[in-house]
Amino acid sequence: MLKRSRRMRYNYRGRKVMMMIAIIVLCLLIFAIVFAVFRIRRNKALAIMQNASLEITNQAFKETIALICVPEFDGKNAKETHKVEMISDVWGKGVMAFEYSLDAPEVKTNELDAIRNKLSEALNEYAERNKLKGLNGLPCFVVSDIWTFAGVLHIDISHVVNQATVDYLHDVTKSEKD
């Protein structure tokens, strides 16, 4: 009789432990599902925002690049060599910056500053005409980087509409100074 009651007590404790483990696993599973749903919704909203920003930036770039003319580069004849790339793939989520690649074999590195300045000015005028505003009084569009490689002119344009893009621009500026 004594042996039987010990077994019963053991079975009761074992069931209690198993029930606690099941509750903990269920709570973890619920947490994981809620987290996954939240992340999917956030990524979907971010993708919508990036696509809208890309459309606005594409329109601005296409209108303004045609206005740029320096000795070895005529924006009217510039042809895109690659699809526009999102820089957020490298710099992190939420960055509204895009890389444009143009066929420009004659462009020299000493002309890059002139192209950058003229393009920045044209983009700012475009933003004013279309009543586009940047975040916290910053310009709506910033030419964040420009370089040439293998006859291709690469231009990074940031659409300054969120804090992630402002932080990206701060990091780029900081790395250029270093």
Side-chain angles (χ1 to χ4, degrees):
M1 184 100 171
L2 188 61
K3 287 184 177 181
R4 192 173 218 197
S5 65
R6 281 187 185 167
R7 255 191 234 159
M8 289 178 79
R9 246 188 288 159
Y10 177 74
N11 284 340
Y12 177 72
R13 284 185 193 157
R15 286 184 199 154
K16 197 174 182 181
V17 169
M18 290 301 287
M19 183 66 84
M20 293 299 284
I21 290 172
I23 290 171
I24 290 170
V25 168
L26 185 62
C27 288
L28 289 173
L29 185 62
I30 290 171
F31 176 76
I33 290 170
V34 168
F35 180 76
V37 167
F38 174 75
R39 189 168 181 177
I40 289 168
R41 290 181 72 192
R42 187 187 73 188
N43 287 345
K44 190 173 186 178
L46 182 62
I48 290 169
M49 192 170 148
Q50 283 178 325
N51 286 334
S53 180
L54 178 61
E55 284 182 34
I56 292 167
T57 308
N58 279 345
Q59 184 64 35
F61 180 74
K62 286 177 183 170
E63 282 191 32
T64 57
I65 195 67
L67 305 173
I68 309 306
C69 189
V70 294
E72 298 296 328
F73 178 77
D74 184 9
K76 290 178 188 170
N77 300 324
K79 293 182 181 143
E80 290 186 40
T81 58
H82 298 86
K83 186 178 175 191
V84 177
E85 294 183 35
M86 287 190 184
I87 295 175
S88 62
D89 296 341
V90 175
W91 283 88
K93 292 187 182 263
V95 175
M96 303 299 164
F98 311 97
E99 179 184 332
Y100 295 87
S101 302
L102 305 172
D103 205 16
E106 295 86 27
V107 173
K108 308 280 187 277
T109 54
N110 61 349
E111 295 172 324
L112 295 178
D113 283 336
I115 295 170
R116 178 186 223 152
N117 294 337
K118 288 183 178 190
L119 184 58
S120 292
E121 188 178 307
L123 286 167
N124 287 332
E125 289 172 5
Y126 175 88
E128 281 182 34
R129 267 194 326 271
N130 292 285
K131 296 180 175 78
L132 300 172
K133 302 233 184 270
L135 186 69
N136 299 332
L138 293 169
C140 185
F141 299 106
V142 174
V143 179
S144 47
D145 203 1
I146 186 169
W147 74 97
T148 60
F149 181 73
V152 177
L153 175 64
H154 300 269
I155 303 172
D156 292 351
I157 298 178
S158 300
H159 186 206
V160 187
V161 291
N162 62 7
Q163 191 60 43
T165 306
V166 173
D167 294 342
Y168 158 75
L169 290 171
H170 182 270
D171 289 346
V172 168
T173 304
K174 189 176 172 183
S175 68
E176 284 179 356
K177 287 180 183 177
D178 292 342

